């Protein structure tokens, strides 16, 4: 969606080691990498009888993800496709007829908004857009990097009410009544799309889109997948590796997208209360059974105090780890049994 590949996400998150001595592998392991989706690196790992069979599966997943990418894009147009940019461009003007997948995503976003007490609010696109512009300009010209205008941020906060977004399931339309409101689904779109494609994909595949990793079932060899959690200080090293049979691992971190103003880094996860980057944690990793929910939770837990985050985990059955500014790692109950190293 955005025009930049972010170095922190370029490091391959997925290790494919074995958790136990394998039986004779029935099939060969293959891997495919795509650089064209959601402005990040997509890696697909799986087993097949022939490379051709695997490439066909990987291509299908790529093609499905590309459709989600285009539908949820707020920056680019694709011919006469009605996407979220079209919805934003029609704010205060008219409802826009959209694909059912946009309706399904936004209905889940509504549930995520309620679940997280407003911490994850895809209706705050006007606030996020000010940060996006300042970050893009600041990265392009570091000497002139500056914060968004404080008054503009506070004004944008007043046009961020998710309840004002009109989602008409029957007509399959979306309308932003407030002309100054914008949608930005960056907090959940990758994980949500990964969940959708993984549900339709064969068992025994691993799909990684940026910090969103999802296994569609155990490896055909019977071994666990081994997923690395990047260190916020050095993305080429891992805080932990995890044993995952199936399910999803999603990370939100201050090192993933940021820029520097007067020597201070400002990252991309914004606390809706303050309108400024959330300062509580360096990174949060969530492991759960639904990648869309895990993506929502990683963003929410990054913003919220640990106790409130833990309540969300208790309600959803996910587990998490938090990395503090001094490098201490905190674990929710149940996380530690996933740790391999
Ligand atoms: P993630 O990396 O999944 O935590 O998502 C970060 C992205 O979500 C940012 O790049 C923004 O586009 C968007 N975002 C940041 N803060 C919020 C928030 N509080 N609610 C909804 N979306 C957000
Ligand atoms: Mg997220």
């Amino acid at each position: 969606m955005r025009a930049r590949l972010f170095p922190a996400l370029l490091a391959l998150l997925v290790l494919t080691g074995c958790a136990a001595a394998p039986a004779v592998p029935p099939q060969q392991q293959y891997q495919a990498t795509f650089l064209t989706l959601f402005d990040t690196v997509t890696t697909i790992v799986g087993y097949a009888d022939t490379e051709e069979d695997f490439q066909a599966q990987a291509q299908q997943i790529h093609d499905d993800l590309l459709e989600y990418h285009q539908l949820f894009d707020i920056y680019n147009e694709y011919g006469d496709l009605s996407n979220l940019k079209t919805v934003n461009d029609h704010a205060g003007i008219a409802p826009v007829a959209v694909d059912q997948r946009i309706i399904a995503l936004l209905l889940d976003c509504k549930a995520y908004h309620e679940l997280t007490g407003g911490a994850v609010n895809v209706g705050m696109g006007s606030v996020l857009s000010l940060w996006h512009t300042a970050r893009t300009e600041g990265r392009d010209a570091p000497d002139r990097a500056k914060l968004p205008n404080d008054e503009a941020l506070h004004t944008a906060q007043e046009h961020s009410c998710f309840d004002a977004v009109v989602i008409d399931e029957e007509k399959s339309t979306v309308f932003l009544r407030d002309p100054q409101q914008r949608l930005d689904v960056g907090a959940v779109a990758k994980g949500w799309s990964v969940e959708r494609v993984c549900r339709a994909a064969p068992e025994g595949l691993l799909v990684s889109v940026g910090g969103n990793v999802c296994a569609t079932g155990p490896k055909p060899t019977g071994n666990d997948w081994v997923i690395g959690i990047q260190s916020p200080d050095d993305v080429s090293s891992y805080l932990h590796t995890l044993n995952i049979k199936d399910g999803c691992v999603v990370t939100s971190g201050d090192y993933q997208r940021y820029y520097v103003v007067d020597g201070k880094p400002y990252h991309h996860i914004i606390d809706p209360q303050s309108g400024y980057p959330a300062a509580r944690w360096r990174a949060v990793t969530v492991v759960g059974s639904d990648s869309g929910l895990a993506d929502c939770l990683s963003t929410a837990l990054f913003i919220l105090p640990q106790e409130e985050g833990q309540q969300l985990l208790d309600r959803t059955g996910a587990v998490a780890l938090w990395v503090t500014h001094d490098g201490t790692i905190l674990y929710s109950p149940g996380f530690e049994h996933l740790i391999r190293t």
Side-chain angles (χ1 to χ4, degrees):
M1 289 178 191
R2 299 174 190 90
R4 180 188 287 277
L5 282 172
F6 292 86
L9 295 179
L10 286 172
L12 185 64
L13 266 173
V14 180
L15 310 175
T16 53
C18 305
V24 179
Q27 295 171 312
Q28 178 93 22
Q29 181 182 289
Y30 297 100
Q31 179 170 320
T33 301
F34 302 101
L35 301 177
T36 43
L37 302 165
F38 295 101
D39 297 323
T40 188
V41 181
T42 296
T43 306
I44 300 166
V45 183
Y47 290 78
D49 291 330
T50 65
E51 182 156 12
E52 226 179 11
D53 289 352
F54 172 75
Q55 290 301 344
Q57 287 177 4
Q59 191 61 45
Q60 183 61 54
I61 290 173
H62 167 274
D63 294 351
D64 292 347
L65 284 171
L66 184 62
E67 288 190 19
Y68 287 112
H69 166 103
Q70 295 185 347
L71 286 169
F72 303 155
D73 197 334
I74 59 170
Y75 298 102
N76 300 292
E77 292 166 10
Y78 302 92
D80 45 18
L81 178 76
S82 278
N83 64 5
L84 287 182
K85 179 177 189 307
T86 324
V87 173
N88 281 344
D89 290 347
H90 286 76
I93 300 171
V96 176
V98 292
D99 187 281
Q100 169 278 327
R101 287 167 287 185
I102 288 184
I103 301 290
L105 172 73
L106 292 180
L107 289 175
D108 280 350
C109 288
K110 198 172 158 62
Y112 297 154
H113 183 251
E114 281 162 22
L115 173 75
T116 63
V120 174
N121 177 10
V122 306
M124 58 186 273
S126 295
V127 173
L128 297 171
S129 145
L130 292 169
W131 282 105
H132 180 263
T133 304
R135 189 170 64 242
T136 308
E137 290 175 359
R139 289 183 76 113
D140 288 346
D143 295 349
R144 295 198 299 277
K146 56 181 193 309
L147 295 181
N149 177 281
D150 188 61
E151 208 183 308
L153 274 178
H154 290 303
T155 304
Q157 278 180 295
E158 288 162 18
H159 300 280
S160 298
C161 175
F162 190 79
D163 294 332
V165 179
V166 184
I167 307 163
D168 189 325
E169 254 187 287
E170 230 160 74
K171 293 193 185 129
S172 200
T173 59
V174 184
F175 181 37
L176 304 180
R177 266 194 303 242
D178 177 347
Q180 293 188 58
Q181 182 164 32
R182 298 290 181 272
L183 298 173
D184 177 334
V185 294
V188 296
K190 290 199 292 286
W192 195 91
S193 305
V194 166
E195 177 67 25
R196 283 291 182 110
V197 299
C198 282
R199 281 185 200 170
E203 270 205 4
L205 282 177
L206 194 75
V207 179
S208 166
V209 181
N212 296 252
V213 182
C214 190
T216 66
K219 291 182 186 182
T221 58
N223 297 318
D224 291 345
W225 297 100
V226 181
I227 314 289
I229 301 178
Q230 285 178 321
S231 161
D233 289 322
D234 172 12
V235 293
S236 63
S237 71
Y238 297 108
L239 294 177
H240 283 300
T241 58
L242 306 181
N243 283 327
I244 300 290
K245 271 199 193 342
D246 51 14
C248 312
V249 183
V250 182
T251 297
S252 289
D254 67 2
Y255 58 93
Q256 293 172 329
R257 294 179 187 204
Y258 66 93
Y259 74 124
V260 178
V261 181
D262 297 331
K264 190 171 172 224
Y266 290 85
H267 64 78
H268 67 139
I269 303 171
I270 306 301
D271 183 338
Q273 302 276 347
S274 65
Y276 281 81
R280 235 176 264 280
W281 310 104
R282 295 241 37 219
V284 175
T285 293
V286 172
V287 182
S289 58
D290 180 303
S291 168
L293 179 60
D295 198 0
C296 154
L297 288 174
S298 73
T299 307
L301 266 61
F302 188 90
I303 293 167
L304 296 170
Q306 188 186 3
E307 310 70 52
E308 289 177 38
Q310 184 59 54
Q311 283 168 11
L312 293 181
L313 297 174
D314 293 342
R315 288 174 66 184
T316 55
V319 295
L321 71 69
W322 294 259
V323 185
T324 68
H325 283 273
D326 69 9
T328 307
I329 305 178
L330 309 173
Y331 305 91
S332 76
F335 192 93
E336 276 162 291
H337 83 266
L338 298 171
I339 295 173
R340 172 179 160 84
T341 58

